[in-house]
Amino acid sequence: MGSSTVTLLENPVHELLAENGEVPAQPKEEDDDEVRPNIEWLPSFQTYKDRVQNLKELGVERQDSVPNGWPTKIDHPRAWTGSDFADPSKYVVQFTAHDIAEIESALTQFKCRKNHDPDNVNTDTFPLPTLGPKLDKVSKELHDGVGFAVLRGLNPKMYSQLDNILLYLGITSYIAETRGCQDYDGRMIGEDNQ
């Protein structure tokens, strides 16, 4: 057991969580002393309620108001509630038949390249001349507006697993040029994860 795990378990909150099976996941390999949190892929309201109860039993008070000096209201495009989006046209981008034909053409062009590795997908190698400007508007809304959008119209069952990855990477290359890591080990979509 690595020293970070021992230090982690010396914390009384973590000791209680360990008793309830909520201790952070142990390292995967003996030479891997990285401690990873035990976070579920799909959020669980029951897990949340259990953690609140565990903290309550430890006497840890949960703050229920903002600290003095903090704003009580935030006025910003990203400060919203679900009721602000009753109208799906504010956040759903529906691909047209022309958009889908353009996306599939870009996919075909990319796959005909000598090196069609997923790492090489970008706006130059996945050309979307008509849809690209529409996706630029989506990018602006993500980065400077509400912070999310829903893209609809492609049926993933129509494509292979690799094609779905390439489609995802190609479309999102117009929205955000830098890709984030997909897991704790820093792997990206399309990398050999073995």
Side-chain angles (χ1 to χ4, degrees):
M1 194 180 287
S3 62
S4 59
T5 303
V6 172
T7 303
L8 183 66
L9 292 176
E10 290 172 358
N11 181 322
V13 172
H14 287 118
E15 287 177 12
L16 180 63
L17 294 176
E19 290 172 14
N20 293 323
E22 295 182 33
V23 69
Q26 297 302 312
K28 291 188 286 185
E29 300 174 13
E30 284 185 32
D31 62 340
D32 180 9
D33 64 353
E34 183 72 26
V35 176
R36 295 173 175 89
N38 183 15
I39 298 175
E40 298 161 322
W41 183 253
L42 297 174
S44 163
F45 186 61
Q46 185 59 49
T47 300
Y48 164 77
K49 290 187 336 187
D50 292 346
R51 286 184 180 148
V52 169
Q53 183 61 36
N54 290 341
L55 290 171
K56 189 175 183 179
E57 289 172 9
L58 283 173
V60 176
E61 294 295 322
R62 296 181 59 88
Q63 192 168 348
D64 59 2
S65 62
V66 296
N68 289 335
W70 284 40
T72 56
K73 181 180 179 187
I74 299 174
D75 186 23
H76 188 276
R78 289 191 198 141
W80 48 263
T81 65
S83 63
D84 294 329
F85 295 97
D87 178 7
S89 69
K90 290 185 176 183
Y91 61 90
V92 172
V93 177
Q94 181 68 46
F95 292 139
T96 65
H98 182 268
D99 294 335
I100 294 170
E102 188 172 291
I103 291 167
E104 289 176 343
S105 174
L107 175 65
T108 300
Q109 289 179 49
F110 181 80
K111 289 171 64 176
C112 288
R113 296 174 53 86
K114 182 178 179 182
N115 187 352
H116 57 271
D117 184 86
D119 287 339
N120 295 319
V121 177
N122 58 52
T123 56
D124 293 329
T125 62
F126 202 93
L128 298 173
T130 306
L131 182 58
K134 294 178 190 175
L135 294 174
D136 186 50
K137 290 179 184 176
V138 171
S139 178
K140 285 179 177 46
E141 190 62 26
L142 285 174
H143 297 284
D144 300 324
V146 298
F148 76 95
V150 176
L151 306 177
R152 288 198 176 139
L154 287 174
N155 180 355
K157 293 178 182 176
M158 302 272 299
Y159 308 98
S160 70
Q161 182 179 7
L162 177 59
D163 285 355
N164 274 304
I165 290 170
L166 296 174
L167 289 167
Y168 170 80
L169 294 172
I171 292 167
T172 59
S173 68
Y174 286 83
I175 297 171
E177 62 188 44
T178 303
R179 296 185 183 118
C181 297
Q182 302 299 310
D183 65 16
Y184 285 113
D185 296 320
R187 289 186 286 249
M188 307 289 279
I189 282 182
E191 286 185 351
D192 183 10
N193 294 331
Q194 300 191 21

